[in-house]
Amino acid sequence: MTAHVEDPPPVASACPYCGVGCGVLARAASDGVTVSGDPDHPANRGRLCVKGSALGETLALDGRLLHPMIRARSGALERVSWATALDAVAEGFARISQRHGADATAFYLSGQLLTEDYYVANKLMKGFLGTANVDTNSRLCMASSVAGHRRGFGSDTVPGSYEDLDHADLLVLVGSNAAWCHPILWQRMVANKQARGARIVVIDPRRTATSAEADLMLAIRPGTDGALFSGLLAHLAETGALDSAYMAAHTTGFDAALERAREIAPTIAATAKACGLASDDVRRLFDWFRTTERTVTLYSQGVNQSAQGTDKVSAILNCHLATGRIGRAGMGPFSLTGQPNAMGGREVGGLANMLAAHMGFSSVEIDRVRRFWGAPRMAEREGLKAVALFDAIEQGAVKALWVMATNPAASLPRADAMRRAMAGLDHFVVSENVLSNDTVNSGAQILLPAAAWGEKDGTVTNSERRISRQRPFLPLPGEARPDWWIVAEVARRLGFGEAFAWPDVASIFREHAALSGFENHGSRDFDIGGLARISDAEFEALRPVQWPVRRPDDTADKRFFADGGFFTPDGKARFVAIEAPGLKTEADAGRPFILNTGRVRDHWHTMTRTGKAPTLGRHTVEPCIEIHPADAAVAGIATGDFAEIATAHGAVTLRVVTDPGQAPGSLFAPIHWTAETASHGRIGALVQPDADPFSGQPEMKATPAAVKRVAPGVEGFILSRIPVVLPDGTRWARAAVAGGLGTVFSAPEGIDGTALAGRLTPSGGSVSEMEDAARGVYRAAIFDGARLEAVIFVAAGGRPAWSWIEAQFGMSELSPLARKALLAGRAPDGMADSGPTVCACFAVGLTAIKAAIAGGACDVDAVGRALKAGTNCGSCRPEIKKLIETGA
Amino acid sequence: MSEPLVVIGNGMASARFVEELGKQALGRYSVLVIGAEPTLAYNRVLLSSLLAGEVEAGDIQLKSRAWWQSQGVTLVYGRRAQAIDPAAKTVTLENGAHIPFAKLVLATGSLPIRLPKPGMDLPGVLTFRDHDDVAAMLSATGPAVRAVVIGGGLLGIEAAYGLARTGTHVTLIHLMDRLMERQLDAEAAGLLKRALEQRGIKVLLGADTAAIEGDGCVEAVRLADGRVLAADMVVSAVGIRPNADLARAAGLALGRGVVVDDRMATSHPDIHAIGECAEHRGTCYGLVEPAYEQGQVLARHLAGRAAVYAGTVLATNLKVSGVPVFSAGDFIGAAGTESVVWRDPGLGTYRKLVLKDDVLVGAVLFGETGDGLWYLDLIRRGERLGRLREAVVFGRALAEAA
């Protein structure tokens, strides 16, 4: 008999990125982890976008925080034991709570926490420390949807299911670039369009990969979504398209809402004018909406991240309530969530304006939760929402902060000011995966190594209320621990041991489930009481399930509100009369542009994970500012230039990309780059803090800004095994590449290539270098024996391409010819450079796709047949389509 | 009745000329070749390989006896031509024989320069020019032998390399501050010096020979700075001069060499000169390529075809002690020029291209010279590089790729 090592069977878990909540199968093999879609998961049925597919590339332990650390007087972080760290955390919260009151302390949580982690943190603060200063990065993500839902439905309920996207005949996307931000749901919508002829309408100030596939694109003026849906409501009333029966039976407040809608946008012409749209386009949308029963309106950050986000949501809900199109197959309003467990956080109540388990701060609810928890010191009122919370930190009112699994120093509005504010905290604790990020480097005093995706064990909830298990398939590295364990240990040290004495995560889930069902009797939408008594084995094997689960056998998929049953005192939905739509701050002569912010295709949040994957670094190597060509011409800038973008709150310097899809007067910049990955790319520093009065969500997509050209000087890139420190004054951005890091830079004063090469050369190493001084060209390849250690390319007038060189960089040894070709920057066979990656799944570059199109590939599928490009996650299909249309 | 054509000299220029003439006008002339050396024409460039023991004497022969016969050439070798009578159109051999010619071609090559220093006539002081020199060196080599080679030009380096390969202790002394200063820039010369040192050759630069010392035979070389280098053998390889003695005696116009026009004709219309003995437009070439070109031009001319020799853009393209080096044009880089450099110590490669107004005007290559002739062609064409410039220094394949 021959013994041989078998790789363990794949572990079913959930993707840690967007709110679609795709199921994944993770295989941890000797040669690393591979991640594929779970065919049995209802969210994705086996499909996976490029970010999910590349998860295996993000799990290396380089840069991981592997043991607790405390900042010494010297300012350096020093390793300490868990006991020392936990004692220090507890001592700080006890001291400051005692001296300054519980409201001088706060937790700032994250949609990346598992539900069980969230539950434990929320319980400690709201029931035992006695403050509701528990907010979360979800405040920046979908708080306006929560507020809108609660205002309209009496509860934070997403009424529909993903299946509705398959059955709809009209899909209206508002402020959503789903093709990039929710690719798998987007593929379901496109499949519906192809198979059933469903129409897709995209409402967005800028043309995106999503609008490229749309039957109708409405490039709306920023901040006027409310006017468009007011006009729609007025039109529906005008044309007798209302569902009077549903309205009469299940809603109130229509008249006031309609009156206000008519004030805002009485006619199609008025609507078009208010929104900066063509009347014909508005009419077409209204006609389609009026005549299409199966209509889903999907909305995301374009709606939520607004000083009127809640009203925008209400304006959308109004139209669905008025037509009774809710809770039935193929119809309804649908909030697309940005994070893997924002929904779980909402269920737990991990928000300053929620108490717990979809309960608020009424005395009845406070008392109910007190009794359930046996809590000594309940929070009696709402706490501070993110922006207000950090204002309080800035003003010194909040003195103790514990940040878990998020990076506020990069993601908050006025991020530079927030960085300074955090540095002034008396007690600043951060639970993290990484050793270094902008928040850690904002003066964090205690670092706690938290378990990461692949190590964590618990549950998450996706945008369709589906609870899935995140299961571990990797051992806890170093001294990393689950967040729930860390918080419970601190609770124990604060004297609350009994209430936090869970032996395992299943016990926490059962308590959370029990609270959701506690004295519920159908009075609250969120109820998974049916899962409160599942065994450890059942928890381990838990299949993805949609809530509510009111009884153990109540596990079927379900929708809300088809027959009313809203969670208001009278059981009726509320129409809402919204405020006159508009931006909080309009552009002016000094700041003539409106700065929009958002995601790029292959990155997510602040890149602590996607930034480690070479596959994901290729599509967008550096942060860019997108501007309309006409605006660029006036500003005297062109694609490839650099520009400084300045607002009242901060400035960045980014490479310019002119894009006719940008509305004139608008700019778009990505949110992902931080001080870790770029020298001048912290876009959060520019964003204004003006927040929605109901949701507290800031208007992050509309900040007045000025643009001016910046001289690039010489430009270049460095591929290296380890991070490179560049001279002061150099602008740089960093991306993962196969075998190391790629750093692009521009040096206004020029740069000494030889000196740079010298610094990168190991002792005994050798430098192969090429110089054309008259042209400002310097190239060097640095070797340690035969091993390539680093490559430097410097040139005047534009950054040289690197994809060919990156391919060489990945190789262990180079032939003499390859060594020569490396510095030549091209392959001997003439295949110079594959160009920027378009299809990341199959690593197909622009050059090859253009060649295929030139070679007769007449549509996206033909390109797919030729190169496989666009045949997996499909998120590059719009780009390929564009290339074909523009004749490449 | 074919005209008698006499060639004086049996070296590389001569052989190429005869070969070309055979191609152009076989049978038009009855060709007679006079050679002083007692062998068939051989490849002088390979003498160092012969010295190094890398090849046998037979291997460096240019053409077989049968070939010469097939060309209908009468070979008179081992006999020195003693005089030319331009008026009578005869050549006199050392045995007194008079050979008439209708056309005469001088291909007498060059002679080594002997330093005008004391002791240069001592036994054991050798030159490096022909078979006999190699034979003399080989008879004196061995592990116990200390040789000093004077002259860091191509010949000296080749001699030093050949000797070192025999196990002899070799010191190469050179007056200038770098080796092969006429063919290499400072960096390439430095690389060459290291290459020689790796082969066990001791190299002294800025070494000015004051005298050769010895009692009855060579014992040492004394330098101007007073240093004394013990030596059992001294090889003088400080340069060559055109061998124009016969032409001088015949009253032909001379400069440093025998002055010829663009058809390689001397001041006497029926007497021509090619190779290292000739001086064309003020230049005496010391390399084989111009000699070959001159031989081809002359052959075409004598065959009655239009032929003009306009000079050779000088390119050095050779292996120095096993290391390929190439240089052409203005490889130092005069004022107003730009240079593109690539150096890869790991590959032992160095390249410098010199450009003026984006036109390639000079190149020096060390270690890998496969692209040398392409660069030479670019220099000769004188066209702007344009897009080629991006990767031109990496050679034709990569420069023209993509």
Side-chain angles (χ1 to χ4, degrees):
Chain A
M1 256 193 64
T2 58
H4 63 282
V5 183
E6 295 260 352
D7 287 333
V11 174
S13 187
C15 177
Y17 291 124
C18 76
V20 176
C22 296
V24 300
L25 294 177
R27 291 177 179 76
S30 43
D31 59 349
V33 174
T34 56
V35 174
S36 56
D38 180 352
D40 299 331
H41 198 290
N44 56 316
R45 301 166 186 163
R47 299 196 80 153
L48 216 51
C49 77
V50 60
K51 289 189 283 289
S53 305
L55 273 165
E57 296 177 30
T58 68
L59 301 171
L61 293 179
D62 53 298
R64 264 300 285 276
L65 174 65
L66 292 172
H67 42 69
M69 303 182 93
I70 289 185
R71 198 174 293 277
R73 292 210 187 299
S74 68
L77 286 160
E78 291 174 357
R79 177 175 184 169
V80 297
S81 71
W82 265 114
T84 308
L86 293 165
D87 290 347
V89 173
E91 183 281 329
F93 274 89
R95 172 169 39 85
I96 287 163
S97 184
Q98 204 162 36
R99 278 200 207 141
H100 306 282
D103 289 342
T105 68
F107 284 4
Y108 188 65
L109 311 179
S110 160
Q112 278 97 76
L113 289 172
L114 302 186
T115 300
E116 295 71 19
D117 302 322
Y118 246 122
Y119 178 84
V120 174
N122 192 58
K123 179 181 180 181
L124 174 60
M125 278 306 253
K126 288 179 182 161
F128 292 76
L129 287 173
T131 176
N133 287 345
V134 181
D135 216 48
T136 157
N137 61 9
S138 298
R139 183 68 57 193
L140 312 176
C141 178
M142 31 41 54
S144 296
S145 289
V146 175
H149 290 156
R150 292 175 72 199
R151 227 165 40 155
F153 306 151
S155 60
D156 174 20
T157 313
V158 175
S161 296
Y162 291 162
E163 277 198 350
D164 298 331
L165 310 181
D166 309 331
H167 301 140
D169 297 314
L170 177 63
L171 294 155
V172 182
L173 291 101
V174 192
S176 163
N177 184 11
W180 281 11
C181 303
H182 302 92
I184 296 306
L185 286 189
W186 175 243
Q187 289 310 309
R188 283 177 79 153
M189 296 184 239
V190 171
N192 180 357
K193 175 187 163 109
Q194 284 164 350
R196 299 180 57 257
R199 290 195 179 114
I200 296 178
V201 179
V202 172
I203 299 162
D204 194 314
R206 62 179 190 132
R207 300 190 175 279
T208 62
T210 308
S211 68
E213 293 266 356
D215 299 279
L216 175 63
M217 199 280 164
L218 300 180
I220 192 169
R221 177 182 301 137
T224 62
D225 314 65
L228 183 62
F229 282 87
S230 294
L232 177 57
L233 188 66
H235 175 80
L236 293 169
E238 210 65 41
T239 53
L242 306 176
D243 183 338
S244 319
Y246 186 90
M247 286 166 60
H250 305 304
T251 71
T252 64
F254 178 70
D255 296 347
L258 178 59
E259 189 182 335
R260 178 61 53 78
R262 284 179 168 149
E263 289 167 21
I264 294 167
T267 62
I268 287 176
T271 307
K273 188 164 183 297
C275 302
L277 297 168
S279 291
D280 288 350
D281 290 344
V282 175
R283 181 177 293 104
R284 186 171 299 113
L285 170 66
F286 288 7
D287 289 345
W288 287 355
F289 194 101
R290 187 184 77 249
T291 57
T292 311
E293 174 77 354
R294 290 184 166 218
T295 295
V296 176
T297 306
L298 302 105
Y299 47 95
S300 193
Q301 306 314 352
V303 164
N304 292 334
Q305 292 182 332
S306 160
Q308 293 182 322
T310 308
D311 274 359
K312 287 180 182 177
V313 171
S314 293
I316 292 166
L317 300 189
N318 286 349
C319 293
H320 278 271
L321 290 169
T323 50
R325 295 174 188 162
I326 189 166
R328 288 180 287 142
M331 64 188 75
F334 208 112
S335 156
L336 292 176
T337 312
Q339 301 194 80
N341 200 35
M343 290 285 278
R346 286 149 73 168
E347 291 151 18
V348 160
L351 294 158
N353 52 334
M354 299 289 289
L355 176 55
H358 280 208
M359 286 178 274
F361 288 89
S362 73
S363 56
V364 177
E365 291 166 310
I366 293 172
D367 176 65
R368 183 185 299 133
V369 175
R370 171 191 289 114
R371 285 182 285 114
F372 181 85
W373 278 345
R377 191 173 172 192
M378 287 297 291
E380 302 284 342
R381 60 180 185 285
E382 291 192 5
L384 295 169
K385 305 190 188 86
V387 174
L389 171 62
F390 281 84
D391 287 346
I393 290 169
E394 195 173 25
Q395 291 145 17
V398 168
K399 301 174 184 306
L401 176 69
W402 188 348
V403 173
M404 298 182 202
T406 184
N407 196 355
S411 54
L412 283 169
R414 296 201 302 132
D416 285 348
M418 294 304 104
R419 207 157 49 165
R420 290 189 293 274
M422 280 182 267
L425 282 159
D426 292 356
H427 189 52
F428 184 12
V429 183
V430 175
S431 298
E432 250 308 336
N433 293 155
V434 297
L435 254 173
S436 175
N437 68 18
D438 290 6
T439 300
V440 169
N441 299 329
S442 298
Q445 295 153 358
I446 304 174
L447 291 192
L448 305 174
W453 183 80
E455 302 149 15
K456 292 201 229 195
D457 190 357
T459 61
V460 294
T461 307
N462 70 5
S463 296
E464 63 165 350
R465 291 174 281 108
R466 192 174 301 278
I467 297 168
S468 299
R469 289 277 281 112
Q470 247 192 38
R471 295 186 177 88
F473 53 88
L474 294 170
L476 285 171
E479 296 179 6
R481 295 287 180 273
D483 288 285
W484 68 263
W485 179 89
I486 299 169
V487 177
E489 281 298 306
V490 169
R492 194 163 61 77
R493 283 165 169 76
L494 289 167
F496 311 124
E498 269 175 54
F500 292 81
W502 304 281
D504 51 40
V505 72
S507 313
I508 301 169
F509 177 82
R510 283 188 289 262
E511 180 177 316
H512 164 60
L515 174 57
S516 74
F518 184 61
E519 298 175 1
N520 187 319
H521 317 301
S523 66
R524 308 193 299 270
D525 65 330
F526 178 65
D527 182 353
I528 54 171
L531 300 171
R533 286 180 189 74
I534 61 174
S535 68
D536 292 356
E538 287 167 330
F539 177 76
E540 183 50 43
L542 185 67
R543 307 270 312 135
V545 60
Q546 225 179 358
W547 62 259
V549 183
R550 299 188 186 273
R551 297 171 313 284
D553 59 357
D554 177 26
T555 55
D557 289 357
K558 46 185 80 75
R559 301 184 177 86
F560 280 87
F561 309 140
D563 306 311
F566 293 93
F567 296 91
T568 50
D570 61 7
K572 291 186 169 190
R574 303 282 186 266
F575 282 96
V576 176
I578 68 169
E579 294 303 313
L583 293 179
K584 195 80 174 184
T585 323
E586 294 288 354
D588 58 29
R591 300 194 179 90
F593 293 94
I594 290 296
L595 173 65
N596 186 0
T597 64
R599 291 177 177 175
V600 300
R601 197 190 75 188
D602 293 353
H603 280 305
W604 198 77
H605 280 198
T606 59
M607 288 166 63
T608 48
R609 193 188 309 279
T610 54
K612 294 177 81 172
T615 298
L616 303 180
R618 297 190 179 107
H619 183 259
T620 311
V621 169
E622 61 186 326
C624 297
I625 185 77
E626 292 174 22
I627 182 171
H628 188 279
D631 290 336
V634 171
I637 49 181
T639 290
D641 286 353
F642 284 85
E644 184 192 77
I645 300 90
T647 70
H649 310 288
V652 293
T653 302
L654 303 176
R655 190 180 294 276
V656 173
V657 173
T658 61
D659 176 4
Q662 251 331 297
S666 72
L667 305 169
F668 180 86
I671 61 173
H672 309 289
W673 278 266
T674 69
E676 295 289 302
T677 45
S679 60
H680 296 67
R682 283 170 39 85
I683 204 69
L686 278 62
V687 172
Q688 67 183 5
D690 300 316
D692 178 280
F694 309 98
S695 70
Q697 183 158 1
E699 188 150 81
M700 301 179 79
K701 287 177 162 287
T703 306
V707 173
K708 78 166 190 284
R709 186 178 188 281
V710 173
V714 301
E715 292 187 58
F717 66 78
I718 301 167
L719 302 184
S720 57
R721 304 290 175 194
I722 51 166
V724 185
V725 179
L726 287 161
D728 293 346
T730 313
R731 289 186 296 266
W732 57 267
R734 186 176 293 147
V737 299
L741 292 164
T743 305
V744 300
F745 64 85
S746 68
E749 309 305 323
I751 198 160
D752 181 342
T754 312
L756 191 57
R759 284 212 302 284
L760 288 169
T761 309
S763 60
S766 76
V767 182
S768 172
E769 59 185 350
M770 177 270 212
E771 185 160 32
D772 183 344
R775 294 286 172 92
V777 172
Y778 177 82
R779 300 174 181 178
I782 292 147
F783 294 89
D784 189 352
R787 175 186 154 91
L788 182 59
E789 285 298 321
V791 181
I792 302 172
F793 268 53
V794 183
R799 172 167 64 83
W802 79 20
S803 52
W804 150 256
I805 293 135
E806 183 194 349
Q808 308 305 299
F809 194 65
M811 299 184 183
S812 54
E813 276 198 27
L814 295 176
S815 70
L817 178 58
R819 215 168 144 128
K820 211 197 293 186
L822 181 72
L823 284 195
R826 51 179 71 176
D829 60 11
M831 274 308 295
D833 191 280
S834 62
T837 295
V838 176
C839 171
C841 295
F842 295 113
V844 184
L846 184 61
T847 314
I849 289 174
K850 284 183 169 179
I853 293 168
C858 55
D859 60 27
V860 178
D861 293 326
V863 171
R865 284 191 296 274
L867 303 168
K868 290 177 84 178
T871 58
N872 180 41
C873 81
S875 60
C876 63
R877 293 176 65 89
E879 284 159 273
I880 297 171
K881 189 158 175 260
K882 205 167 167 188
L883 286 168
I884 293 167
E885 286 164 357
T886 57
Chain B
M1 170 65 192
S2 53
E3 304 176 75
L5 184 151
V6 175
V7 184
I8 304 176
N10 188 22
M12 301 176 78
S14 169
R16 174 59 61 93
F17 164 70
V18 171
E19 181 178 11
E20 280 300 317
L21 190 65
K23 289 181 190 161
Q24 303 283 344
L26 190 62
R28 171 163 174 175
Y29 299 96
S30 67
V31 180
L32 181 140
V33 176
I34 304 164
E37 286 190 75
T39 61
L40 290 170
Y42 58 88
N43 183 338
R44 204 174 294 280
V45 175
L46 291 177
L47 282 176
S48 56
S49 306
L50 186 64
L51 178 60
E54 293 163 350
V55 297
E56 299 295 322
D59 303 336
I60 69 172
Q61 197 175 76
L62 286 169
K63 299 289 180 187
S64 69
R65 190 177 306 276
W67 181 86
W68 289 102
Q69 281 161 0
S70 70
Q71 298 291 308
V73 173
T74 311
L75 283 174
V76 182
Y77 56 83
R79 294 255 188 83
R80 201 169 289 280
Q82 208 142 35
I84 302 164
D85 183 337
K89 294 176 72 172
T90 60
V91 175
T92 311
L93 299 182
E94 53 191 351
N95 66 355
H98 292 285
I99 300 173
F101 62 84
K103 302 283 182 192
L104 176 65
V105 176
L106 299 174
T108 50
S110 57
L111 299 168
I113 295 170
R114 277 189 172 248
L115 284 175
K117 306 282 182 176
M120 288 302 296
D121 52 359
L122 282 168
V125 178
L126 308 170
T127 57
F128 182 46
R129 178 66 193 167
D130 58 30
H131 255 302
D132 295 351
D133 298 329
V134 172
M137 278 189 242
L138 285 174
S139 69
T141 53
V145 178
R146 297 157 303 172
V148 171
V149 177
I150 304 173
L154 176 59
L155 270 180
I157 293 167
E158 286 294 312
Y161 171 67
L163 285 168
R165 288 294 302 266
T166 66
T168 307
H169 294 282
V170 180
T171 303
L172 176 67
I173 64 178
H174 189 48
L175 183 60
M176 314 300 286
D177 63 354
R178 67 174 201 261
L179 298 170
M180 288 181 71
E181 67 277 357
R182 280 171 48 220
Q183 292 88 14
L184 300 179
D185 70 350
E187 182 162 356
L191 291 166
L192 178 57
K193 178 168 179 284
R194 270 196 294 288
L196 294 178
E197 286 162 346
Q198 282 160 7
R199 288 160 171 75
I201 298 167
K202 189 171 173 209
V203 179
L204 301 180
L205 297 175
D208 182 5
T209 305
I212 312 295
E213 300 177 332
D215 179 6
C217 74
V218 169
E219 289 169 12
V221 175
R222 184 156 49 74
L223 302 180
D225 61 16
R227 279 180 292 177
V228 176
L229 311 171
D232 309 305
M233 178 200 310
V234 170
V235 177
S236 171
V238 295
I240 55 172
R241 59 178 174 80
N243 180 3
D245 302 353
L246 286 172
R248 182 178 295 103
L252 299 176
L254 295 185
R256 278 187 67 232
V258 185
V259 173
V260 295
D261 62 16
D262 290 355
R263 282 166 198 75
M264 316 315 297
T266 66
S267 53
H268 188 293
D270 294 321
I271 304 178
H272 299 77
I274 58 175
E276 293 177 356
C277 69
E279 175 177 328
H280 174 263
R281 297 188 188 180
T283 304
C284 298
Y285 295 97
L287 293 165
V288 71
E289 189 193 1
Y292 280 174
E293 288 184 28
Q294 291 170 357
Q296 283 164 350
V297 168
L298 179 58
R300 288 181 59 80
H301 172 63
L302 292 179
R305 290 190 171 75
V308 169
Y309 176 69
T312 304
V313 173
L314 209 35
T316 308
N317 187 13
L318 29 85
K319 264 194 157 73
V320 185
S321 61
V323 182
V325 299
F326 174 95
S327 69
D330 171 20
F331 57 83
I332 298 298
T337 60
E338 300 168 347
S339 62
V340 180
V341 175
W342 170 45
R343 59 177 68 85
D344 187 336
L347 294 180
T349 303
Y350 165 75
R351 290 184 177 185
K352 182 172 84 182
L353 304 184
V354 177
L355 289 70
K356 193 170 200 313
D357 307 323
D358 205 35
V359 174
L360 189 63
V361 296
V364 55
L365 316 182
F366 180 92
E368 188 196 342
T369 55
D371 292 298
L373 294 179
W374 182 59
Y375 292 132
L376 184 59
D377 184 48
L378 288 174
I379 291 169
R380 286 174 176 163
R381 279 194 272 136
E383 294 159 6
R384 289 178 174 277
L385 291 179
R387 284 186 64 259
L388 277 182
R389 179 165 179 165
E390 161 104 359
V392 66
V393 76
F394 300 106
R396 180 172 200 161
L398 285 163
E400 291 182 347

